[in-house]
Amino acid sequence: MLGLGALLRECPLLLPQNREGTAYEGFVTAQGRDFHLRILLPMDFQLKNARIECSWHLKKILHGYRHILKQRLHSCPDLVSFMVELKTVLEIALKNTQDLHIPRSPEYYFCLVRDLEILGWNKVAYVDTGLTTVKLKAEDTCGRQHLITLTLNAKYPTEPPDCFVDFPVQFAISWMPQNSLIDIYNQFLAALESLKEFWDAMDEIDGKTWVLEPESPTRSATTRRIAIGNNVSVNIEVDPLHPNTLPECYFLGADHVVNPLRIKLNNNMHLWDPEISLLQNLKDLLEIDFPSCAVLEKSDFAKDCGICYAYRLDGATPNQVCDDPRCGQPFHQACLYEWLQGLPSSRQSFNVIFGECPYCNKVRKSNEKE
């Protein structure tokens, strides 16, 4: 199970419900109150494909924060990190729910409207009827559109609003009682500029290659699974603070295909040039051209699972490939594990199971957890 000790320390009332560690149920605590929830993870433990089931009370409290939680699911590396984020968001939601019942002073409305007028109404994307939530829009120097959501408490401007952005890094504002929304907006613009190179790199990848996952990446997403060829892909993790450095690379595909790619990457690492784009560096190091979405269809290299005959299963794509060059059939990890588990001739060592490929009968292994 993934970080069970750390999870118990953070959420002692949230317990695993199965041996695989893919289902958790219990309570999350905030402001001395316990809220029931259930978390279901896919077999590959990808948080972005997790399902969260809440009690009606918790669902009501978090209603206005669903987009934020979705972003956190995409950006958090593990369940423990997400639970820390969830508790933080829940604390904010509870505080703001209480604030809704605190009457705003005339000074609150005067300061807010004044600040919005100084900022300019053309920068305002949304204001709720209670004047407690404001969404501001901005365009970075490359023309990309961005939003920042501000939730104001009754003590504004003495206390700063809570800010939510679709960033791959934490956005913390600097605030003093004499500050206004224009100060937050300027800090927002500065943060956009600091992430320009990261988004430039990701946009080039999204525009010039076939990205298999995520299908609709958010601005906070730092990973891309890029198609290389027939049932061969590379998953990259880009550092948003240093996007011109070599990203973490994990190859997916049959061993006889991905092993030469790993060797090329290791042998050519010294050729990485921070002065050229991340995508061009990857091409040079791997000595390949990535399939382009301009000339190829996804079906040219993304094949359905040979067991369930579907491409997507609970959000996951086929990431296991038979190593026999004459076969090369792809499978979902969960499908292959279940198939091998059902074979009388299969054998298991810890969480790895060995058995025959359903297509060519070559001995195949699959991990229970990946």
Side-chain angles (χ1 to χ4, degrees), residues 1-2 20-22 41-49 77-78 213 225 235 250-253 255 262 316-321 323 331-337 340 351-354 364-370:
M1 292 179 190
L2 299 179
E20 294 80 9
T22 58
L41 300 172
M43 289 300 295
D44 60 4
F45 294 93
Q46 292 292 313
L47 279 180
K48 60 187 176 183
N49 299 319
D78 51 48
E213 294 181 283
R225 182 181 165 202
N235 194 78
Y250 175 68
F251 294 98
L252 298 163
D255 288 344
R262 292 192 187 105
T317 58
N319 60 0
Q320 302 284 308
V321 180
D323 291 333
F331 308 98
H332 294 115
Q333 189 273 340
C335 294
L336 182 61
Y337 185 83
L340 298 178
N351 67 330
V352 180
I353 189 168
F354 299 84
R364 183 83 180 101
K365 71 176 183 177
S366 176
N367 290 346
E368 181 179 6
K369 302 174 184 176
E370 293 201 346

Side-chain angles (χ1 to χ4, degrees), residues 119-332:
L119 179 63
W121 289 99
N122 61 319
K123 297 181 177 67
V124 179
Y126 168 83
V127 180
D128 71 337
T129 55
L131 295 182
T132 58
T133 300
V134 177
K135 292 184 180 181
L136 304 177
K137 57 186 177 181
E139 190 175 280
D140 62 26
T141 53
C142 290
R144 290 177 287 249
Q145 299 293 321
H146 303 271
L147 287 176
I148 179 171
T149 301
L150 309 176
T151 304
L152 299 96
N153 62 50
K155 295 182 180 179
Y156 177 84
T158 304
E159 293 184 2
D162 296 313
C163 304
F164 302 98
V165 292
D166 188 11
F167 283 2
V169 294
Q170 186 177 6
F171 176 66
I173 63 168
S174 174
W175 182 267
M176 297 184 69
Q178 63 267 29
N179 287 149
S180 66
L181 295 186
I182 192 83
D183 297 292
I184 293 179
Y185 193 77
N186 288 334
Q187 292 177 55
F188 180 52
L189 292 177
L192 293 180
E193 188 60 26
S194 71
L195 291 166
K196 174 186 177 299
E197 290 185 349
F198 168 73
W199 285 322
D200 285 347
M202 304 311 265
D203 283 354
E204 184 183 19
I205 290 171
D206 293 340
K208 295 184 178 180
T209 71
W210 263 114
V211 174
L212 303 179
E213 294 181 283
E215 281 194 314
S216 301
T218 62
R219 287 294 174 196
S220 60
T222 58
T223 62
R224 295 292 191 274
R225 182 181 165 202
I226 310 170
I228 296 177
N230 189 16
N231 301 320
V232 185
S233 59
V234 59
N235 194 78
I236 64 170
E237 175 81 32
V238 182
D239 183 348
L241 299 178
H242 305 93
N244 293 325
T245 59
L246 177 64
E248 292 186 27
C249 298
Y250 175 68
F251 294 98
L252 298 163
D255 288 344
H256 71 278
V257 178
V258 302
N259 283 340
L261 292 171
R262 292 192 187 105
I263 293 171
K264 286 180 181 178
L265 181 64
N266 290 331
N267 291 343
N268 295 334
M269 276 185 182
H270 65 284
L271 299 176
W272 186 273
D273 183 356
E275 299 301 317
I276 63 176
S277 74
L278 186 150
L279 180 60
Q280 188 59 51
N281 267 307
L282 287 175
K283 290 180 180 180
D284 293 344
L285 266 62
L286 298 176
E287 300 174 10
I288 61 170
D289 276 323
F290 289 99
S292 169
C293 50
V295 295
L296 292 174
E297 297 293 331
K298 201 170 188 176
S299 57
D300 291 331
F301 44 78
K303 305 299 181 183
D304 294 342
C305 171
I307 295 174
C308 73
Y309 304 111
Y311 183 66
R312 289 203 171 270
L313 177 68
D314 294 333
T317 58
N319 60 0
Q320 302 284 308
V321 180
C322 179
D323 291 333
D324 192 327
R326 295 168 298 178
C327 178
Q329 178 64 47
F331 308 98
H332 294 115

